[in-house]
């Protein structure tokens, strides 16, 4: 997977002088808020804040993932997740826009 100027593309995409290019390993995706951070946070508090800000909202959905403790018989002590700052937020914003468009169209 690769990107040119913070947009996903394929390996055949032409690049020009000054373009920003990124390559990703194979295993690397109402008012919407996007936050990509490394600091600790409380998901429950964030969901409660969102619900308090938008009382008329019919549902609030959140996802919390956990790292398993074993992989291929070896103990897992942590997980490292990298992202491409700028592109990550741009891609998430595009997903939100697409989802909002689908909701309006139905």
């Amino acid at each position: 997977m690769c990107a040119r100027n913070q947009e996903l593309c394929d390996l055949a995409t032409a690049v020009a002088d000054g373009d920003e290019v990124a390559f990703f390993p194979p295993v690397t995706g109402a008012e919407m808020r996007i936050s990509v951070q490394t600091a600790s946070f409380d998901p429950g508090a964030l969901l409660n804040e969102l619900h308090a800000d938008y009382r008329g909202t019919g549902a609030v959905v959140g996802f919390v993932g956990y790292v398993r403790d074993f992989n291929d018989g070896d103990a897992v002590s942590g997980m490292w997740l990298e992202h491409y700052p700028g592109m990550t937020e741009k891609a998430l914003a595009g997903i939100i826009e697409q989802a909002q468009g689908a909701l309006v169209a139905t």
Side-chain angles (χ1 to χ4, degrees):
M1 182 182 296
C2 60
R4 182 185 65 140
N5 299 326
Q6 301 184 355
E7 296 282 345
L8 291 177
C9 64
D10 60 52
L11 293 173
T13 301
V15 294
D17 200 15
D19 281 352
E20 181 177 311
V21 178
F23 297 95
F24 303 96
V27 291
T28 324
E31 174 194 350
M32 299 288 177
R33 299 181 206 172
I34 300 171
S35 176
V36 180
Q37 63 189 52
T38 58
S40 295
F41 65 97
D42 179 349
L46 291 174
L47 287 173
N48 288 338
E49 178 186 325
L50 180 62
H51 186 253
D53 289 348
Y54 300 96
R55 283 285 184 207
T57 301
V60 175
V61 179
F63 171 80
V64 176
Y66 291 91
V67 177
R68 60 181 164 218
D69 54 356
F70 285 93
N71 183 51
D72 292 333
D74 295 322
V76 175
S77 61
M79 179 178 82
W80 181 262
L81 179 64
E82 294 182 293
H83 76 97
Y84 181 13
M87 183 177 169
T88 302
E89 292 83 353
K90 188 175 182 179
L92 290 171
I95 292 168
I96 289 169
E97 185 176 311
Q98 182 180 5
Q100 288 174 330
L103 292 173
V104 171
T106 57

